[in-house]
Every structure is written in structure tokens, then in C-alpha cells.
Amino acid sequence: MDGPDAKGLIFLVTSVLYKNECNILSQDEYVSPDGQFFMRTEFVAPQELDPEKVLKDLRENILSTAINLRINPKKKKDIVVLCTKEHHCLSDLLIRYNFDELDANILAVVSNYNVLQPLVSKFGIPFHYVSHEHKTREQHEEAILRTLEIYQPEYVVLAKYMRILSPEFVANYANKIVNIHHSFLPAFIGANPYRQAYERGVKIIGATAHFVNNHLDEGPIIAQNIKDVDHKYTYLDMARDGKEVEKSVLTQALKLVFNDRVFIYGNRTVIL
Amino acid sequence: MDGPDAKGLIFLVTSVLYKNECNILSQDEYVSPDGQFFMRTEFVAPQELDPEKVLKDLRENILSTAINLRINPKKKKDIVVLCTKEHHCLSDLLIRYNFDELDANILAVVSNYNVLQPLVSKFGIPFHYVSHEHKTREQHEEAILRTLEIYQPEYVVLAKYMRILSPEFVANYANKIVNIHHSFLPAFIGANPYRQAYERGVKIIGATAHFVNNHLDEGPIIAQNIKDVDHKYTYLDMARDGKEVEKSVLTQALKLVFNDRVFIYGNRTVIL
Amino acid sequence: MDGPDAKGLIFLVTSVLYKNECNILSQDEYVSPDGQFFMRTEFVAPQELDPEKVLKDLRENILSTAINLRINPKKKKDIVVLCTKEHHCLSDLLIRYNFDELDANILAVVSNYNVLQPLVSKFGIPFHYVSHEHKTREQHEEAILRTLEIYQPEYVVLAKYMRILSPEFVANYANKIVNIHHSFLPAFIGANPYRQAYERGVKIIGATAHFVNNHLDEGPIIAQNIKDVDHKYTYLDMARDGKEVEKSVLTQALKLVFNDRVFIYGNRTVIL
Amino acid sequence: MDGPDAKGLIFLVTSVLYKNECNILSQDEYVSPDGQFFMRTEFVAPQELDPEKVLKDLRENILSTAINLRINPKKKKDIVVLCTKEHHCLSDLLIRYNFDELDANILAVVSNYNVLQPLVSKFGIPFHYVSHEHKTREQHEEAILRTLEIYQPEYVVLAKYMRILSPEFVANYANKIVNIHHSFLPAFIGANPYRQAYERGVKIIGATAHFVNNHLDEGPIIAQNIKDVDHKYTYLDMARDGKEVEKSVLTQALKLVFNDRVFIYGNRTVIL
């Protein structure tokens, strides 16, 4: 739940759960400096209990209509992965999925190149090659959207998908597209961040997983991580070692997202 | 509060606080795999409210007598620091205390050498030189205890105090003595951990802040941190760079302890 | 090269290379506190130059016969991977090998279980299932040795191979077996390190890649890394998150080994 | 030494040192992708040897006049520290200096406020209060320059000196001024970086030590480090925890600079 803070919110929620014989496993809450309340409660309900009944009880007790309430059953999310030519993030997702270690079902992989088809086919997952050649941006995005519609994914993961998505495309999956950017945002926004990092002579490189919104590389950040570099690194060395950071940050961010632990508030994330 | 888990504990606490018009700032709880419940609630009470009244209400609602309840007002802890010859942890505490950045009052510094007296005197804090020479261990500990009794500290901080304390001494300040050990415990228990680390050829060194109990270097761990090393490090280099880790780990642990965030459960700590 | 330190060694080597028109790309040396000299020089030789000629010139100039000299051409190492049931380290090696990002050729995978056969077969690499059932340790190791002999690997990688190897087995591949141990050695030697770590209440877990020698978990350490944990981690959580550390440490260590950057000196490694 | 790469440079240097009976302790070199050669050789010379003689010999052997050659005797650098109101970086320098752990002599502290005078006076170091009030920037910088001239420092350390220095001021100490900036440059250039970081919702904050050149926050980076943060951090929390990073990064950078390990090349540093 999230919404404007008010006295007694924790008490009200825990009392409704108590009366419904739900056992709280963990509960975290946060109040932002400007008074927004966020709470995530993980509970086990009696088998016969209808989640809608709990939601109704909560709604009746929490009178403020500005409070958003959601009950998410514990289940894997359905996702589609978009990629271009680099394999490292996709490989990581495929291996985890193969061994049932990803909290998601990969329904399909979509790419504007067919380079990674052999990899994807090893894991028995549909691969859609949607080339951008001889297409306008609108036409290409339209083609991708049609492919996504087949699968109705709950989340779209950009695993090094190297094309910029238009606001119109993003609007179809608002707050449902997770991207991995190969820099420590907001440093080195835009193209060729490792080359920019090399030119600036930084001693640390990084990667950022974030939700995609209308403004390129400016969506709410979910996770970031870094790696030390030194003067011996060319920008190609940075790109090579950066891949390790990219895939670990994406994995970390997706684990949070797929477990319903990420709240979006303005351009920030609250992770409970 | 901590004790055996039971249904509705969160609800009961929040309802008592709600009725007493206390505003919860943050609340964290944890249930151990073997069913021990821990909860720390930070709240603002109406000015006229007697904490004893809240404790009484909580006690009446939480019937299990196995549950420990404590209300700690937000205030600085009174401490005495024990040290030997190395200054780095003590310096860090003195500087923070001088600028009101330590959540504690340093009432006095006690040492078995007078090496650090000039440093301590710069900050206007009493320094007690209690030499161990020509004394049995019992006599020396007795002398230190008498010095501590003058100040009645809530916590005793061993800031690189290089002598082993007897179980009899420790019993006087059960769960109230915090030590910094210069290894990544439980590796390299005992004397000369950096030399042991060098001999073993490790690639990482560390430091551990822990409560002191009867068994040397085996008390509940509060915080640990590490630093990469390589073959070029002699054990003296490790000792030099290890000091940076030691002081940062001790600072981190004391911040948790002085803010009443550390629960001891068997030989483990729960930090809420 | 490595051996007892002597005046002018760097000068002698660089002068031989200079006369042979070799261009030094990088050079690193180290002298241990007890006077052992280590140097690794990376150079480009004229195409027609025979490495044996350079070795002979070096030998003639460096009179001390206690100095070991080696010239390794830049090429991928041939390896065989041993594993049991856990896939994470093996998966990582297979994916890197598949995309030509591993400085080695995986000739075969050998396992005492057939659990990972489906994974290995995706990548078209021979998988040998050598069960230990109904065999004595000697018989089982004999069977594995026979399998290894088919491939004549330069290195054997234990990618979570969960059986202890006898000194007799190890002697066949002295300083050629790399293991990944799931603890921050020397803490938690032996079985079930994550359970040991949980029991001790540590705040950091780790993994160690090391060469295997006669003493279990006591060979020269190549690389170590760690991950913060807290009281909420069960030992199963530690094991799960520890896998990420294990695979990254093994990858890091193998990169060093396969690029001939690791010198073994007693029970320590010098990495140049 | 540094300059355009040429064949045999290592050989020439080591041969000159060999002939002069100098014993090389360590030697590191680097060649940039665009062909600039950097080498740092640490050696012990016979007591009677004049460094000028070695320089002359080197100059005679290395014919290229584009190669810069320097011989720095191992000695502490003379420095002056500039600060404003925050104590943390200055405290750290003073404590290290007090215990002879800083590779520099702090000749004086200069500040545009008198807030830190009591601290500095504890350590018996001259404190110059040079207020900027009722002065133009030129007048203020002029006053500071006059103070610096008294001490003739080899390096000027900006330990959280919160005023921008003009290019004219900087020109007096080209490549001799080290600053600590409270962000992970180039992210959050300019004022209030922690507030900027908070607004952007980053999950990591950092600090950067760099040489000061004409362009604010854009000089060659010497060292950077970071700290994880989360949504619970206000920008004041970031500023508080960031101080720990700032002082450790500044300490790390100064150690490199004071030991003559930092080469400046364009807007980058090479650290040998």
C-alpha cells in the first residue's frame, strides 16, 4: 500500500489481518520526507480466505481513498526479454530460468538482430527476430508491440536492447519496462558511456537498472553497482568488465521487481 | 521487545501505541527460524506521557511473560574507552565526540600505558593510566574495575585494548563491552592475526566488532568489514591498512549499539 | 621467471629482449621479504624469432641456475571441468566458452552425477558421468584419472566438485587443479561452511579460489571475494547468495591462471 | 619519467641504474593507447651518489628530449591545508600528521571561517583566518596567496574548502592543488551534490579527489570511492555518510600524490 501518511495506518492494517487470521511474515514501511506512506506486508492467509475479502476489509477500515491497496499472490511474473547483439545479460537470465532460479517465466525473446537466436534456441524459448531495417521507428516499434501482445507479459526486460524507445511505445507498458544502462547514472547519459568514462579518466565504472519512462536514461533507479578501474583500462576493457556489473545489477533489480518489492514515487523508487 | 513469537504481537503493540497517541516513526521486526520474535519500534510520544504508563499497557496486552519489553528514551550513552598504545580507534572516537557526532559521552579513557595521554588531554577528557606492571591479572582488572566504577558507564569500548579480559571482569559488564578484533572472525582467532593472515596468503583482510563474552574472540558479532590485499603486502602493511578497516567497523558497530538497534540472541546479533 | 633475487636481473632480461628486437608490452616484478624474485614480462617478438633462442640467450646471461625461466606463447589453455550437482559455476564457464570469452578450451566435463548432463549437452561438450557408487575412493579416482588422460588437460577446474581428492590424485596434476571453496578461507574449513557461518553469526560471507594441494582447503589462494549478510539470512539464503560470489571468484581466478599471471611460492600466490 | 614511447626505454634506464650501482626496489611502467610512455622506478642509490649524476647519465642515454626525467628523493612533502567549516577531512589529516602517519608536513591551515581554529590549535599548527567578507574574490584570493607564500608549500590541499578558485589563483599552483569533491564525478557537478543525488534517487553516492584546473570539478581524477544508500536516506543523511567516503578518498589520493606516484596526462591520471 502507498498514499498520504496518516495516524494509525499500521495499526489498521495489522488489525484487519489479525481478524482475518492472517499471519504476518514480514512488514516494512517507510514515510517519505514529504509525507508519503509506503508499506509492504508479507503474510500467510488461511487457505479458504479470498484476497478480495481482505482488500474489502482494508478499504472499509482505511477511509482515505488516496491510499492505494494491492494484494499480490506469490507467483512468478510473465516476462518478455528484448535484446540486440550482446549476450551477457540474456545468458544470465536464460540460465537462471533454466534452473528455476528466476522469479519469472521467460515467454519469449525479441531482438532486432538474429545473432542470439542460437543461444535462445538452446533453452527452448521462442525467439522473434524483428529487424529494424527498412522500417521507420514507428513501424519497428509497432512490429515489436504486436509481438509482445501475443505474450501479454507483465514486465518487459531490456537486456542490452540498444535502441531508444519512443514515449508512445513506453506508454503501453508504463512502469513495466526495466532497462540496464551501462553507466553509473546520471553520469554518462546517452551513447557510448564507457568511452565517455574513459575520456573523463574516472577510477570507477558502474551500471544502473531502472524503469523506463519518457526521458531516456532518466527513469526511477532500482539498483546500481560499480567496479574499480585504473589508467590501464581502455574503453574496451571498461566495456568488457562493465558487462559483469551490468548483469549482476540487472539480476539484482529484477529479483526486487518480480517479488513486488519496488514502489515508484515520482522519479524515485522505494524498496521494501 | 523480544521473546517467543505469537500471533498478533505487532497488532497488540501498535494498538497500545495508537491508543496512547504515539506516532510510529519506524518499526522493524524479525522472527528467527527457531521462533524468536524481535521488534524495534521508534515512536514519538505526547510530551506528557509517562513511558511507564506505556510499558504497563503493553504488559497488560501482551500476556506472555516470556516477552521482554524495554522503552529507551533517545539519549546519548555514557561510555568509558579502554585502549593500549594504538591511537587510531581512539582518535576517531575523540574527534567524533569533540564535534558532537558520537551518540555517546566519553566519560574517561583508561589505558595500561600512558602513550595516548597527550592525545586524550587535547580533548579535555580524564585519562587513567592503570599499568599492569607488577600486578597479577586479578589485581590489574580490579584496579580497572575500580576506575570504571567512578564513572558508571553504560558501555565499555575496547578501542584496541590488547589484554585479554577474564570472565570475572566481563561478568561485571555483561553484553556491555564492545571490542574491535583485527581479523575477519572466526579466521585468525588469537594473537597476531595479521601475521597469521600473511602466512596463509589471503587476498582479503578484515576486522570484526563484537560483544565480549567469556570466550575470547567468540562473542556475538555486530559488524565486519574487509579490504583487498595482494602479495605485495607484508604483515606490517596489512596491519597499517587494517587499521582503517578497524576504525570504520568500530564506528559502525557503536552507532548501532548506542542507538539501541542491536539485540543479542545466543551468539548472534539481530540488528533492527 | 622466478628465483633468488640478484642485482641486475631486470637489466639482464630487458637487454636480452632488446637485442632480440622484442617489444615489451608490460613488465611486473616482485621481490618477497625473504628475497625471492618474480618477474612477468609480456612482449611481442619478431615473427621469425624462435622462443627457444630467447630462452637460450636469457640462460646465458642469467648465470644463476636457481632462476626458473619460462616463455609461454599467448594461447588458450586446454581444461577439463569436474562438477557434482550444482550448476552455477559450470554454467558460467560454459556460457563464456560458448561466446569465446574464456581463455580456455573446455575439452570435457566430468561429474559423479548425471544431473548436469542436459546442460552440458546444450553446448556440444563431452560429458562423462563417472559415478562414485559401488566404488572405493581409489577406484573412483582411478576412473576419473583415466577419463582425464583422454584429454590431457593443462588445468583441471573443480567447479563445485563436492568430493575430497586424495593426495595421490592431486599429485598427477600438481599446481594444475583450481578449486572454488564456499567460504572465506581459512574461516570455515571443511563441510557445510554456510551452516558454520550461520551458526557463528557472521555479517559477511565469502568464497575462495585456490590451487589444490595435499591438505584439504589449504592450497595457495588465488582470489577471494565477499558479500554482506545480516541476521535475516538463513544458511540456505547464504548458500543461495554465496553462489554468486563463488562463480565470480572462480571466473576471476581462472582469468589470472589462464593468462599465466599466477606464481606459486610456498603456500602463497604472487600475481603479476 | 614520461614522454613518447620508444623502443628500449626500460632497458636504457635499467642499464644506467645498473652501472651506477643502484638497486631497483620496484618498477612500473605504462604505455597509453596513443603512445605515451610512463615509468616510475624506485631504487636505492649508493650513499655517495649524486642524483644529478644519474639524471645526467639518463639524459645522455635517452636521446629524445621529449622525455621528462625526474628524480625525487624520498621525503615528506610540505603542504598547506585550506578548509571552510566542515572538520572531517581536516581532522583526519591532523590526526595522521600528529602520529607521523601522513607523508607530509602540515605547515599551516588557512580558512575563510574561524570555526576550526580550536581544533587546529590543539595540534600546534598555525591557523590563518582569512575571511572573504567585505572583499572581492580577487582581494580574497590575493590574501590567501600572500599567506601561502609565507609557507612555500609543495602542495595545497582543499579539505572541503567551499569556495571556487579562479583560474588565476590555480595558475600559481598548477597541478599542485588537490581537492575533494562530494560526488561521484562527473555526476552532480557544481553546488549541493548530495541534494542533486537525492533528487535523482540514486542508490550509490560517492566522492572524488582530483587535481584542480581551470574548469570547476573537471580536473584529473586521482581517486574515487562510493557508498550504498537507499530510499530512507534524506540528503542530509547522504551528506553525513558521504563525509566518511570523502575523508577516506582524500587520504587515499594524498598518499599517492605525496609518494610521487601520480602522473598527469591531459585530463587523466596515471598511477604507478
Side-chain angles (χ1 to χ4, degrees):
Chain A
M1 61 184 280
D2 59 325
D5 192 20
K7 222 171 178 173
L9 285 174
I10 300 177
F11 164 64
L12 290 173
V13 170
T14 53
S15 67
V16 166
L17 292 177
Y18 185 62
K19 283 166 198 162
N20 280 283
E21 300 194 357
C22 297
N23 194 22
I24 295 177
L25 295 179
S26 75
Q27 180 166 281
D28 284 287
E29 75 285 321
Y30 167 69
V31 180
S32 71
D34 61 352
Q36 189 78 353
F37 177 85
F38 301 85
M39 187 162 78
R40 176 180 182 274
T41 306
E42 210 174 321
F43 60 90
V44 179
Q47 218 180 332
E48 69 282 3
L49 184 67
D50 181 1
E52 289 304 315
K53 160 78 165 60
V54 181
L55 260 183
K56 192 167 150 285
D57 284 5
L58 286 169
R59 181 53 64 213
E60 279 168 11
N61 279 272
I62 298 167
L63 299 173
S64 162
T65 53
I67 301 271
N68 302 305
L69 293 162
R70 292 175 296 282
I71 297 186
N72 294 319
K74 192 175 177 62
K75 67 171 256 314
K76 291 192 177 182
K77 300 292 185 278
D78 289 332
I79 67 169
V80 169
V81 180
L82 265 65
C83 59
T84 295
K85 286 176 174 176
E86 288 176 283
H87 78 87
H88 56 288
C89 288
L90 178 62
S91 293
D92 198 60
L93 294 174
L94 291 172
I95 288 285
R96 288 175 200 272
Y97 174 61
N98 185 67
F99 286 99
D100 204 19
E101 294 167 357
L102 190 73
D103 305 307
N105 299 308
I106 303 179
L107 306 180
V109 174
V110 181
S111 178
N112 55 330
Y113 285 90
N114 59 9
V115 175
L116 296 172
Q117 180 144 30
L119 174 70
V120 174
S121 71
K122 286 188 207 303
F123 295 89
I125 293 168
F127 181 91
H128 295 263
Y129 169 31
V130 184
S131 174
H132 58 277
E133 283 189 65
H134 315 302
K135 293 199 190 78
T136 65
R137 173 188 299 267
E138 286 71 27
Q139 288 169 334
H140 185 238
E141 291 195 344
E142 184 63 34
I144 289 181
L145 274 178
R146 277 198 307 271
T147 313
L148 291 178
E149 271 158 29
I150 305 170
Y151 296 101
Q152 301 280 331
E154 295 170 88
Y155 287 97
V156 175
V157 176
L158 308 185
K160 301 290 285 178
Y161 180 69
M162 302 306 278
R163 289 174 66 84
I164 296 166
L165 296 171
S166 70
E168 290 70 34
F169 182 98
V170 172
N172 289 276
Y173 292 93
N175 296 338
K176 295 296 180 189
I177 305 178
V178 176
N179 183 43
I180 178 73
H181 183 80
H182 43 316
S183 91
F184 182 84
L185 287 176
F188 312 126
I189 284 177
N192 263 328
Y194 290 121
R195 186 179 273 279
Q196 290 184 60
Y198 175 80
E199 298 294 344
R200 181 60 189 90
V202 295
K203 301 297 185 187
I204 292 179
I205 56 172
T208 305
H210 61 98
F211 287 107
V212 177
N213 64 11
N214 292 349
H215 302 283
L216 177 67
D217 301 342
E218 296 188 0
I221 293 171
I222 306 163
Q224 301 188 288
N225 211 338
I226 58 101
K227 188 193 180 307
D228 292 341
V229 295
D230 61 33
H231 60 267
K232 288 193 290 286
Y233 278 71
T234 63
Y235 80 89
L236 291 172
D237 295 331
M238 288 182 179
R240 181 201 60 210
D241 281 17
K243 287 177 182 177
E244 306 295 318
V245 184
E246 293 165 21
K247 76 182 179 193
S248 83
V249 169
L250 182 59
T251 296
Q252 183 190 345
L254 292 179
K255 192 173 179 62
L256 297 170
V257 170
F258 295 160
N259 282 286
D260 300 306
R261 295 188 52 196
V262 184
F263 295 71
I264 296 175
Y265 180 52
N267 205 35
R268 305 162 54 78
T269 58
V270 171
I271 296 173
L272 298 179
Chain B
M1 61 185 281
D2 58 326
D5 192 20
K7 220 170 180 173
L9 286 173
I10 301 177
F11 164 64
L12 290 172
V13 170
T14 53
S15 67
V16 167
L17 293 177
Y18 185 61
K19 282 165 198 163
N20 279 284
E21 298 193 2
C22 297
N23 194 21
I24 295 176
L25 294 179
S26 75
Q27 180 165 282
D28 283 287
E29 76 284 322
Y30 167 68
V31 180
S32 70
D34 60 352
Q36 190 78 353
F37 177 85
F38 301 86
M39 186 161 79
R40 178 181 182 273
T41 306
E42 209 174 323
F43 60 90
V44 179
Q47 219 180 331
E48 68 283 2
L49 184 66
D50 182 359
E52 290 304 316
K53 159 79 164 61
V54 181
L55 260 184
K56 192 167 149 286
D57 284 5
L58 285 170
R59 180 52 65 212
E60 279 169 10
N61 279 272
I62 297 167
L63 299 174
S64 161
T65 54
I67 301 271
N68 303 304
L69 293 163
R70 293 175 295 282
I71 296 186
N72 294 318
K74 192 176 177 64
K75 68 171 257 311
K76 291 191 178 184
K77 301 293 184 279
D78 288 332
I79 67 169
V80 169
V81 181
L82 267 65
C83 59
T84 295
K85 287 176 172 175
E86 288 175 283
H87 78 88
H88 56 287
C89 288
L90 178 62
S91 293
D92 197 60
L93 294 174
L94 291 172
I95 288 285
R96 288 176 198 274
Y97 174 61
N98 185 66
F99 286 101
D100 204 20
E101 295 166 358
L102 190 72
D103 304 307
N105 299 309
I106 303 178
L107 305 181
V109 175
V110 181
S111 179
N112 55 329
Y113 286 89
N114 59 10
V115 175
L116 297 172
Q117 180 144 30
L119 173 70
V120 173
S121 70
K122 286 188 206 301
F123 295 90
I125 293 169
F127 181 92
H128 295 263
Y129 169 32
V130 183
S131 173
H132 59 277
E133 285 190 63
H134 314 302
K135 292 198 190 79
T136 63
R137 172 188 299 268
E138 286 71 28
Q139 289 168 334
H140 185 237
E141 290 196 345
E142 185 61 35
I144 289 182
L145 275 178
R146 278 196 308 271
T147 314
L148 290 178
E149 272 158 27
I150 305 170
Y151 296 101
Q152 300 280 333
E154 295 169 88
Y155 287 97
V156 175
V157 176
L158 308 185
K160 301 290 286 178
Y161 180 69
M162 303 306 277
R163 289 174 64 84
I164 296 166
L165 296 171
S166 70
E168 290 70 33
F169 182 98
V170 173
N172 289 277
Y173 292 93
N175 296 337
K176 295 295 180 189
I177 305 178
V178 176
N179 183 44
I180 178 72
H181 182 79
H182 43 316
S183 91
F184 182 83
L185 287 176
F188 312 126
I189 285 177
N192 264 329
Y194 290 122
R195 187 178 272 279
Q196 291 184 59
Y198 175 79
E199 298 294 345
R200 182 59 189 91
V202 295
K203 301 298 184 187
I204 292 180
I205 56 172
T208 304
H210 62 98
F211 288 107
V212 177
N213 63 12
N214 292 349
H215 302 283
L216 176 67
D217 303 340
E218 295 189 0
I221 294 170
I222 307 163
Q224 302 188 288
N225 211 338
I226 58 101
K227 189 194 180 306
D228 292 341
V229 295
D230 61 32
H231 60 269
K232 289 193 291 285
Y233 278 71
T234 64
Y235 80 88
L236 291 172
D237 295 331
M238 289 182 179
R240 182 200 61 211
D241 281 16
K243 286 177 182 177
E244 306 295 319
V245 184
E246 292 166 21
K247 76 183 179 193
S248 83
V249 169
L250 182 59
T251 297
Q252 182 190 345
L254 292 179
K255 192 172 178 64
L256 297 170
V257 170
F258 296 160
N259 282 287
D260 300 307
R261 295 188 53 196
V262 184
F263 295 72
I264 295 176
Y265 180 52
N267 206 36
R268 306 161 54 78
T269 59
V270 171
I271 296 173
L272 296 179
Chain C
M1 62 184 281
D2 59 325
D5 193 18
K7 221 172 180 172
L9 285 174
I10 300 177
F11 164 63
L12 291 173
V13 170
T14 53
S15 67
V16 167
L17 293 177
Y18 185 61
K19 284 166 199 164
N20 279 284
E21 300 194 0
C22 297
N23 194 23
I24 295 176
L25 295 179
S26 76
Q27 181 167 281
D28 284 286
E29 76 286 320
Y30 167 69
V31 181
S32 71
D34 61 352
Q36 189 78 352
F37 177 84
F38 302 85
M39 186 162 78
R40 178 182 182 273
T41 306
E42 209 174 322
F43 60 91
V44 179
Q47 219 179 331
E48 68 284 1
L49 184 67
D50 181 1
E52 290 304 315
K53 159 79 165 60
V54 181
L55 259 183
K56 192 168 149 285
D57 284 5
L58 286 169
R59 180 53 63 213
E60 279 168 11
N61 279 273
I62 297 167
L63 299 173
S64 162
T65 52
I67 301 271
N68 304 304
L69 293 162
R70 292 174 296 283
I71 297 187
N72 294 317
K74 193 176 176 63
K75 66 172 256 314
K76 291 193 177 183
K77 301 292 184 278
D78 288 332
I79 68 169
V80 169
V81 181
L82 266 66
C83 59
T84 295
K85 286 176 175 176
E86 288 175 283
H87 78 88
H88 56 289
C89 289
L90 177 62
S91 293
D92 198 59
L93 294 175
L94 291 172
I95 287 284
R96 288 176 200 274
Y97 174 61
N98 185 66
F99 286 100
D100 204 19
E101 294 167 357
L102 190 71
D103 304 306
N105 299 308
I106 303 178
L107 305 181
V109 175
V110 181
S111 179
N112 56 329
Y113 285 90
N114 59 9
V115 174
L116 297 172
Q117 179 144 30
L119 173 70
V120 173
S121 70
K122 286 188 206 303
F123 294 90
I125 293 169
F127 181 92
H128 295 263
Y129 170 31
V130 183
S131 174
H132 58 277
E133 283 189 65
H134 314 303
K135 293 199 189 79
T136 65
R137 173 187 299 269
E138 286 71 27
Q139 289 169 334
H140 185 238
E141 290 196 345
E142 184 63 34
I144 289 181
L145 274 179
R146 277 198 307 271
T147 313
L148 290 178
E149 272 157 29
I150 304 170
Y151 296 102
Q152 300 280 333
E154 296 170 88
Y155 286 97
V156 175
V157 176
L158 308 185
K160 301 290 285 179
Y161 179 69
M162 302 307 276
R163 288 174 66 83
I164 296 166
L165 295 172
S166 70
E168 291 70 34
F169 183 99
V170 172
N172 288 276
Y173 291 93
N175 296 337
K176 296 296 180 189
I177 306 178
V178 176
N179 183 44
I180 179 73
H181 182 80
H182 43 316
S183 91
F184 182 83
L185 287 176
F188 312 126
I189 284 177
N192 263 329
Y194 290 121
R195 186 179 272 279
Q196 290 184 60
Y198 175 80
E199 298 294 344
R200 182 60 189 91
V202 295
K203 300 298 186 186
I204 292 181
I205 56 172
T208 304
H210 62 99
F211 287 108
V212 177
N213 63 12
N214 292 349
H215 302 283
L216 177 66
D217 301 342
E218 295 189 1
I221 293 171
I222 307 164
Q224 301 189 289
N225 211 338
I226 58 101
K227 190 195 179 303
D228 292 342
V229 296
D230 61 32
H231 60 268
K232 289 193 290 287
Y233 278 71
T234 64
Y235 80 89
L236 291 173
D237 295 332
M238 289 182 179
R240 182 199 61 211
D241 281 17
K243 287 177 182 177
E244 306 295 320
V245 184
E246 293 165 21
K247 75 183 180 194
S248 83
V249 169
L250 182 58
T251 296
Q252 182 189 345
L254 293 179
K255 192 174 179 63
L256 297 170
V257 170
F258 296 159
N259 282 287
D260 300 305
R261 296 188 52 196
V262 184
F263 296 71
I264 295 175
Y265 181 50
N267 205 36
R268 305 162 54 78
T269 59
V270 171
I271 295 172
L272 298 179
Chain D
M1 62 185 280
D2 58 325
D5 193 19
K7 221 171 179 174
L9 285 174
I10 300 178
F11 164 63
L12 290 172
V13 170
T14 54
S15 68
V16 167
L17 292 177
Y18 185 61
K19 282 165 199 164
N20 280 284
E21 299 193 2
C22 296
N23 194 22
I24 295 176
L25 295 178
S26 75
Q27 179 165 281
D28 284 286
E29 75 287 319
Y30 167 67
V31 181
S32 70
D34 60 353
Q36 189 79 351
F37 177 85
F38 302 85
M39 186 162 78
R40 177 180 183 273
T41 306
E42 210 173 322
F43 60 91
V44 179
Q47 219 180 331
E48 67 284 3
L49 183 67
D50 182 0
E52 289 303 316
K53 159 78 164 62
V54 181
L55 259 185
K56 193 167 148 285
D57 285 5
L58 285 170
R59 179 53 65 212
E60 278 168 12
N61 279 273
I62 297 167
L63 300 173
S64 161
T65 54
I67 302 270
N68 303 305
L69 292 162
R70 293 175 295 282
I71 296 186
N72 294 319
K74 191 175 177 63
K75 68 172 256 312
K76 291 191 178 184
K77 302 291 183 280
D78 288 333
I79 67 169
V80 169
V81 181
L82 266 67
C83 59
T84 295
K85 287 176 173 175
E86 288 175 283
H87 78 89
H88 56 289
C89 288
L90 178 63
S91 292
D92 198 60
L93 295 174
L94 291 171
I95 288 285
R96 288 175 199 273
Y97 174 63
N98 185 68
F99 286 100
D100 204 19
E101 295 166 356
L102 190 71
D103 305 305
N105 299 308
I106 303 179
L107 306 181
V109 175
V110 181
S111 179
N112 55 329
Y113 286 90
N114 60 9
V115 175
L116 297 172
Q117 180 143 30
L119 173 70
V120 173
S121 70
K122 285 186 206 304
F123 295 89
I125 294 168
F127 181 92
H128 295 264
Y129 169 31
V130 183
S131 173
H132 59 276
E133 284 190 64
H134 314 302
K135 293 199 189 78
T136 64
R137 173 188 298 267
E138 286 70 27
Q139 289 169 334
H140 185 237
E141 290 195 346
E142 186 61 36
I144 288 181
L145 274 179
R146 278 197 307 272
T147 313
L148 290 178
E149 272 157 29
I150 304 170
Y151 296 101
Q152 300 280 330
E154 296 169 89
Y155 287 97
V156 175
V157 176
L158 308 185
K160 301 289 287 178
Y161 180 69
M162 303 307 277
R163 289 175 64 84
I164 297 166
L165 297 171
S166 70
E168 291 70 33
F169 183 99
V170 172
N172 288 277
Y173 292 93
N175 296 336
K176 295 295 180 189
I177 306 177
V178 176
N179 183 44
I180 179 73
H181 182 79
H182 42 317
S183 90
F184 182 83
L185 287 176
F188 312 127
I189 285 177
N192 263 328
Y194 291 122
R195 186 179 272 279
Q196 290 184 61
Y198 175 79
E199 298 294 345
R200 181 59 188 90
V202 295
K203 299 299 184 186
I204 292 181
I205 57 172
T208 304
H210 62 99
F211 288 108
V212 176
N213 63 12
N214 292 349
H215 302 283
L216 177 66
D217 301 342
E218 295 189 1
I221 293 170
I222 307 163
Q224 302 188 288
N225 211 337
I226 59 101
K227 189 193 181 305
D228 291 341
V229 295
D230 61 32
H231 60 268
K232 289 192 291 283
Y233 278 71
T234 63
Y235 81 89
L236 291 171
D237 295 331
M238 288 182 179
R240 182 199 61 211
D241 281 16
K243 286 177 182 176
E244 307 294 319
V245 184
E246 292 165 21
K247 75 183 180 195
S248 83
V249 169
L250 182 59
T251 295
Q252 183 190 346
L254 292 179
K255 192 173 179 61
L256 297 170
V257 170
F258 295 160
N259 282 285
D260 300 306
R261 295 187 52 195
V262 184
F263 295 72
I264 295 176
Y265 180 51
N267 205 36
R268 305 162 54 79
T269 59
V270 171
I271 296 172
L272 297 179

